[in-house]
Amino acid sequence: MSAADLSYVQPTPNSPWGTYLSQVDRVVPYLGELSRWVETLKRPKRALIVDVPIEMDDGSIAHFEGYRVQHNMSRGPGKGGVRFHPDVTLEEVMALSAWMTVKTAAVNLPYGGAKGGIRVDPKKLTHKELERVTRRYTSEIGIIIGPQQDIPAPDVNTNAQIMAWMMDTYSMNVGGTATGVVTGKPLHLGGSLGRVKATGRGVFVTGREAARRLGLDLRGARIAVQGFGNVGSVAAELFAEAGAKIVAVQDHTGTIVNANGLDLKTLLPLARTEGVAGFEGGDVIANESFWDVACDILIPAALEGQVTAERAQKTRARLVLEGANGPTVPAADDILAERGVLVVPDVICNAGGVTVSYFEWVQDFSSFFWDEDEINQRLDRIMMNALNQIWDTADRHRITLRTATFAVACERILMARQERGLYP
Ligand code: GLU
């Protein structure tokens, strides 16, 4: 790992920023003359840390730490979600913002990359406290976001209601109604059809194509899913509709398995309210046993760093679809490649969400809204075109899909950087 020497972050090889830096290092040999600019990718353009003080319902004052990192804006405004999680750190948000830069470039959206987060457990807040945290955070980062500057969206533990509060707070501060300042909004506030399911749908579309190329028939294919939120559960549903069996699911409450396939119709409502652990249509197993369950496809759709070297060694899957951001550490990537396990990397696999976010932003600007068929067709086309181009690059250089995605994306980013030139 050759870290750009930043005083404010000390990455380790498996930490999110350390993982990202090593992914960048691997692409340098394929950048030609543009490698002159590569240091640009190893430091965020701008990182804002904010204090988020709120009055709790019991009258006490609580402070939360918030971040907004704009990693790169060479190709357009910053774009990326906001995560509410007690373990969020500046380092993590930096990595997530950098992966957004690569992701938007990989699918060729006219955006840079950004990400935000608050160190808070939203499950411990009341509805009103959650609203106050969201509004104060939005007001604090209001000095750097905007429809042409940086456009937040949902991520882990954030949703359409939170986007509505963010849109309202920003709008109140600027004295208008700026629907284009966030995406993932409710439908009647400038949201887009298809946005909620878009990330899971993108995982399915790229996964189906990867399976086809591997000669892996989806009918009867066994799938293990880690993380059963908006990404994992939607992808699972779509794969099940295509004839696959969801044989294992893990969420924060535990791990359940059923070799004949879990019944999603009963599992999904339970997963949404209580979590999967209490599900009666499967057996509960130890969390670590999830990683060597007999399966063909593994979908890590939870948090970073989950696919460790040890877990990569024991997985029985032939195909890994990264629904989460940064789920695989670099050492695990090497082991999977050696073992002939194909990985469709996060920066293309889960790009469906930001792609429909882009459609939402375009629709907000034109105040003209598309129907769901049109959105899904455009989404599928963008994902398939991007994946095919990446696949060709991987074949040409005999490199992994991850390095190929970075090659395609970093060339676009650094070309823009070079063409814009250094100011002043
Ligand atoms: N949070 C999502 C991601 O990681 C979506 C970001 C967006 O729509 O801007 O890609």
Short mmCIF file of all heavy atoms in Angstrom, two decimals, residues 65 105 126 139-140 371:
data_model
loop_
_atom_site.label_atom_id
_atom_site.label_comp_id
_atom_site.label_asym_id
_atom_site.label_seq_id
_atom_site.Cartn_x
_atom_site.Cartn_y
_atom_site.Cartn_z
N GLU A 65 -21.20 13.46 15.78
CA GLU A 65 -20.17 13.91 14.84
C GLU A 65 -20.66 13.60 13.42
O GLU A 65 -21.09 12.48 13.16
CB GLU A 65 -18.88 13.13 15.15
CG GLU A 65 -17.63 13.73 14.59
CD GLU A 65 -16.39 13.01 15.18
OE1 GLU A 65 -16.20 13.04 16.41
OE2 GLU A 65 -15.66 12.40 14.39
N ALA A 105 -18.05 7.27 -12.49
CA ALA A 105 -17.27 7.26 -13.73
C ALA A 105 -17.42 5.92 -14.45
O ALA A 105 -17.47 5.87 -15.68
CB ALA A 105 -15.80 7.54 -13.43
N THR A 126 -35.84 8.86 18.83
CA THR A 126 -37.25 8.93 18.48
C THR A 126 -37.37 9.57 17.09
O THR A 126 -36.39 10.14 16.57
CB THR A 126 -38.04 9.79 19.49
OG1 THR A 126 -37.55 11.14 19.38
CG2 THR A 126 -37.86 9.28 20.92
N SER A 139 -28.13 21.45 7.68
CA SER A 139 -27.83 22.86 7.75
C SER A 139 -26.31 23.08 7.86
O SER A 139 -25.74 23.97 7.22
CB SER A 139 -28.55 23.46 8.97
OG SER A 139 -28.67 24.82 8.82
N GLU A 140 -25.64 22.21 8.65
CA GLU A 140 -24.17 22.34 8.82
C GLU A 140 -23.42 22.06 7.52
O GLU A 140 -22.42 22.72 7.22
CB GLU A 140 -23.68 21.39 9.92
CG GLU A 140 -24.15 21.75 11.32
CD GLU A 140 -23.63 23.10 11.80
OE1 GLU A 140 -22.58 23.55 11.32
OE2 GLU A 140 -24.31 23.71 12.65
N ASP A 371 -42.05 7.13 -16.75
CA ASP A 371 -42.71 5.99 -16.13
C ASP A 371 -41.68 4.92 -15.75
O ASP A 371 -40.52 4.98 -16.16
CB ASP A 371 -43.86 5.45 -17.00
CG ASP A 371 -43.38 4.86 -18.30
OD1 ASP A 371 -42.27 4.31 -18.33
OD2 ASP A 371 -44.12 4.95 -19.31
#
